[in-house]
Amino acid sequence: MKWSTASKFLLPFLISTAHSASSVPSDYVSVQVGYHVVFSYPGLQPPTHLFDLIKEGKVGGIILFGENVGNNLSTIVDQFQSTYKESPSYAGTPLLIMTDQEGGEVRRLPGGPDMSAKQVGQSSDPQDAATQAGNAAAGALQADHLNANLAPVLDVYRQAGDFDDQFGRSFGNTSSLVSTCGSAFVSAQQSAGVIATAKHFPGLGAAGTNQDTDEEPVTLNVTLNELRSVDEVPFTKAIATGLDMVMHSWALYPALDSTYPSGLSQKWIQGELRARLGFTGVTITDAIEAGALEAFGTDAERAVLASQAGMDMILASARNVTQGESVVDALVSALNDGTLSGDSFSEATNRILAVRKKVTA
Ligand SMILES: *[C@@H]1O[C@H](CO)[C@@H](O)[C@H](O)[C@H]1NC(C)=O
Ligand SMILES: *[C@@H]1O[C@H](CO)[C@@H](O)[C@H](O)[C@H]1NC(C)=O
Ligand SMILES: *[C@@H]1O[C@H](CO)[C@@H](O)[C@H](O)[C@H]1NC(C)=O
Ligand SMILES: *[C@@H]1O[C@H](CO)[C@@H](O)[C@H](O)[C@H]1NC(C)=O
């Protein structure tokens, strides 16, 4: 039932194939689910099976890591996009091909930004340096034909050498400096035609040196007042400049939700980011295989929980095509059995397509 009411949100070409809820073909559902899932693969040459899935419309994007980056990356990206044009979900908008090109040590592609976020924040004119960093990131992505960056980091670090500071990933230790730099980076990169992603909402700045959500559960006992008056400020400013995407952190913030980490939390995604801060763009998870989520089942089960909480895109970044496929299959099942609301899912699809319309293949 829920699924049939969702059809009003769908694209015309999908509506023409839609029937009653009971006879919705599973390929029809998987084409819509495809928009929501970002895949990854090992090594320099993508597996043939990934191209098959792209052609079937089951892939919405691909995240690239250092191990995927060779001299012929732009050719491979072009192959992804030309394969996608044959798929039923192409809809005139390209796959989102993304990476982490933050600056300094955290760069997957050749090219800038040479400066880390920390160096940008410490420069004589941080706003100008951040604008140059955003332009350099856009240039590096576009040289290899990528269209979305999982940057900038908008965390406000607390202690020298802590989780964000140790690799220079934070622009600074004050909301005002991070806001100035973050918004300048976002504006420059988006003006150059590359999608920007602010991370890690509501902020990982309070995480200590070894509090790494990739590895294990992280609890940040920061008061809601401090989260709102320090950590969320750079996000609020970036949203005001027209930010495209937000990546949620996998830390647990008991001040607002003592059960679910931010990226699985309806309170954080829908209550705080959307209702309170007014964000209307796309939300994306951090790595769905992260150690922080060990209590929340398989990657596929975590993806269903994230989608239920309001997460638009799922990052299947274990460099394993089967992982992405398992996420697609789980979301298809959850839509078909009503675990996921078709209406909410279609609204998320529309947000994703709106962001994708900003970039061209
Ligand atoms: C890209 O380069 C890698 C490493 O040299 C090679 O294995 C692969 O076949 C190349 N792929 C294409 C599409 O040229
Ligand atoms: C930020 O770091 C500087 C230099 O390490 C320090 O002097 C200042 O007190 C810090 N500010 C805050 C708000 O922690
Ligand atoms: C955070 O609070 C919880 C529950 O009150 C406590 O168990 C934990 O030790 C605290 N963690 C830190 C780092 O203070
Ligand atoms: C890839 O992902 C699938 C599905 O999650 C999992 O069963 C498999 O063990 C993974 N393979 C590797 C090499 O990690």
Side-chain angles (χ1 to χ4, degrees):
M1 285 306 290
K2 284 179 173 175
W3 186 251
S4 66
T5 61
S7 61
K8 65 179 178 290
F9 295 108
L10 296 180
L11 299 168
F13 80 93
L14 288 175
I15 290 171
S16 67
T17 63
H19 309 294
S20 68
S22 56
S23 65
V24 170
S26 62
D27 61 338
Y28 160 84
V29 180
S30 52
V31 162
Q32 195 192 1
V33 168
Y35 295 121
H36 297 247
V37 185
V38 178
F39 281 65
S40 61
Y41 61 91
L44 289 171
Q45 182 58 32
T48 311
H49 188 51
L50 178 56
F51 286 98
D52 295 339
L53 294 170
I54 292 172
K55 203 175 288 183
E56 290 167 30
K58 291 184 175 176
V59 178
I62 296 170
I63 177 170
L64 298 169
F65 291 91
E67 67 178 278
N68 306 126
V69 179
N71 291 335
N72 57 9
L73 182 59
S74 62
T75 307
I76 290 170
V77 172
D78 290 349
Q79 288 171 352
F80 289 146
Q81 298 292 13
S82 59
T83 304
Y84 193 54
K85 284 180 178 165
E86 301 170 34
S87 91
S89 60
Y90 170 57
T93 66
L95 288 167
L96 293 179
I97 311 289
M98 59 188 72
T99 197
D100 297 285
Q101 193 81 354
E102 297 175 10
E105 287 186 59
V106 187
R107 278 182 288 169
R108 313 299 186 206
L109 304 173
D114 294 331
M115 276 201 250
S116 67
K118 182 180 177 129
Q119 289 168 328
V120 167
Q122 288 178 340
S123 64
S124 55
D125 185 344
Q127 182 167 1
D128 183 61
T131 299
Q132 289 182 38
N135 281 326
L141 267 74
Q142 286 171 332
D144 276 320
H145 302 184
L146 281 71
N147 52 25
N149 197 2
L150 299 174
V153 170
L154 296 192
D155 302 338
V156 180
Y157 85 91
R158 299 299 204 282
Q159 307 283 339
D162 67 12
F163 173 75
D164 275 306
D165 186 56
Q166 61 191 330
F167 300 113
R169 299 177 71 192
S170 167
F171 289 113
N173 62 356
T174 64
S175 302
S176 62
L177 182 57
V178 177
S179 296
T180 298
C181 295
S183 292
F185 189 111
V186 166
S187 295
Q189 191 180 259
Q190 291 187 177
S191 299
V194 170
I195 291 164
T197 310
K199 65 189 184 188
H200 314 77
F201 188 80
L204 278 175
T209 309
N210 297 318
Q211 287 190 292
D212 184 351
T213 57
D214 284 347
E215 305 299 331
E216 59 188 12
V218 170
T219 298
L220 297 178
N221 290 335
V222 184
T223 65
L224 193 54
N225 180 55
E226 185 172 335
L227 287 165
R228 286 177 174 168
S229 62
V230 177
D231 297 283
E232 289 182 14
V233 173
F235 291 93
T236 307
K237 299 285 196 262
I239 289 167
T241 71
L243 174 68
D244 291 323
M245 303 215 295
V246 170
M247 176 185 283
H248 281 249
S249 108
W250 285 140
L252 186 70
Y253 304 83
L256 187 67
D257 189 333
S258 56
T259 308
Y260 294 107
S262 171
L264 297 182
S265 167
Q266 192 175 332
K267 290 176 183 167
W268 278 116
I269 303 164
Q270 297 182 45
E272 198 72 1
L273 181 70
R274 293 207 184 280
R276 194 163 171 279
L277 302 189
F279 182 63
T280 57
V282 169
T283 51
I284 186 166
T285 68
D286 203 338
I288 202 72
E289 68 276 8
L293 303 187
E294 63 188 20
F296 297 95
T298 63
D299 294 356
E301 289 164 345
R302 299 167 182 189
V304 173
L305 284 176
S307 297
Q308 276 180 317
M311 201 45 85
D312 298 336
M313 297 193 82
I314 308 294
L315 201 57
S317 52
R319 281 145 269 188
N320 173 357
V321 173
T322 312
Q323 179 202 28
E325 223 176 341
S326 76
V327 168
V328 169
D329 292 345
L331 295 180
V332 168
S333 299
L335 280 167
N336 280 328
D337 71 15
T339 304
L340 274 177
S341 151
D343 282 356
S344 302
F345 201 78
S346 292
E347 287 168 16
T349 306
N350 288 343
R351 286 191 291 269
I352 294 165
L353 287 169
V355 162
R356 285 170 33 147
K357 281 195 183 117
K358 298 176 69 177
V359 290
T360 50

